Amino acid sequence: MLLMSDLFKHSALAAMLLAILLAFYKGRHAVSANARSLAWTQVPLIAFLTVSVGPSAIAILLYLGYKSGLLQAGPSGYRFSTFIFQLPLDFAVMNWGFVVLYVTCRLAPNFRSARPAMWLSAAAMSLLNVPLFFLAPEMVSNVFDAGQGIGIVQAMLSMPLWFGSYPRFLDPDSGIGLLLFAPLAPIPFAGLVCWIAVQLIGGTANSPKGKTARS
């Protein structure tokens, strides 16, 4: 219920935008001090914008195609639904992992294997977002229950990967439970696993034993 609250969604989006701005200015000062480019740290931010707005952009193109006759709409017809305006906010909140990845890389670009870890984490999270783009036809469909499929996909990508029991005070609908279980949702969890895996591999390769083995 907390995830469905408009107040929570707008608050989460505001917090993410603030984190992005702070990380951007912090990184810019680091670039001017060290004369090193941090352009690669923008990749998670670009992916975040793409997966948040991309499905609605495709839905708009489909609507214009139906309207102009370039595309053939289904038997049920088409309409410019409110999903086109509402879902970018939902998708942005679902993909908060990209913002964390951007902030981490921006503030600590020299941390061990940050760059390859970023690429793998961003790729894994982007791959899990592919189903969102296939929701575009449903966003402009005139079927009465068109939003049902959208809700199912959102639930699958937002549900924490936890099947055991938990204490009552850790209810996912509570603030404490949300903070604990949020990283276990498929999208941020995939990014976290990839980040840790690359860091472990990079740490092993750069260790004295790893250098000795390569030599």
Side-chain angles (χ1 to χ4, degrees):
M1 296 301 297
L2 185 60
L3 290 174
M4 296 174 62
S5 169
D6 289 338
L7 177 61
F8 169 80
K9 294 176 184 178
H10 287 94
S11 299
L13 182 61
M16 288 190 290
L17 292 177
L18 179 60
I20 290 172
L21 289 175
L22 292 176
F24 173 78
Y25 285 111
K26 182 69 174 179
R28 189 172 66 173
H29 292 321
V31 170
S32 59
N34 300 325
R36 295 188 61 183
S37 174
L38 295 180
W40 62 274
T41 62
Q42 305 292 339
V43 173
L45 196 57
I46 295 173
F48 173 70
L49 294 174
T50 302
V51 299
S52 299
V53 182
S56 290
I58 295 177
I60 293 175
L61 293 177
L62 288 176
Y63 176 82
L64 295 177
Y66 296 152
K67 193 77 172 177
S68 62
L70 295 176
L71 300 175
Q72 181 65 41
S76 61
Y78 62 94
R79 62 190 177 94
F80 198 87
S81 70
T82 57
F83 289 126
I84 296 176
F85 302 108
Q86 295 173 350
L87 289 180
L89 177 59
D90 292 350
F91 295 163
V93 175
M94 288 168 50
N95 284 282
W96 60 270
F98 284 105
V99 176
V100 174
L101 182 62
Y102 168 76
V103 172
T104 301
C105 294
R106 195 75 179 178
L107 298 182
N110 299 319
F111 178 75
R112 300 179 67 173
S113 304
R115 186 179 296 196
M118 180 278 296
W119 280 107
L120 187 59
S121 297
M125 291 191 291
S126 299
L127 183 62
L128 289 178
N129 275 279
V130 170
L132 299 182
F133 290 85
F134 289 95
L135 297 176
E138 198 164 352
M139 292 165 64
V140 294
S141 175
N142 201 33
V143 178
F144 175 74
D145 58 347
Q148 188 173 9
I150 297 175
I152 293 174
V153 173
Q154 283 186 272
M156 292 178 60
L157 294 177
S158 302
M159 186 179 300
L161 299 174
W162 180 269
F163 304 100
S165 59
Y166 49 82
R168 181 180 295 272
F169 71 91
L170 292 180
D171 189 333
D173 287 334
S174 66
I176 298 177
L178 180 63
L179 291 176
L180 179 65
F181 288 108
L184 297 179
I187 296 173
F189 185 72
L192 179 61
V193 169
C194 291
W195 176 273
I196 293 176
V198 174
Q199 295 297 346
L200 290 176
I201 295 173
T204 302
N206 293 327
S207 65
K209 291 183 178 180
K211 293 179 179 179
T212 302
R214 288 198 303 272
S215 62

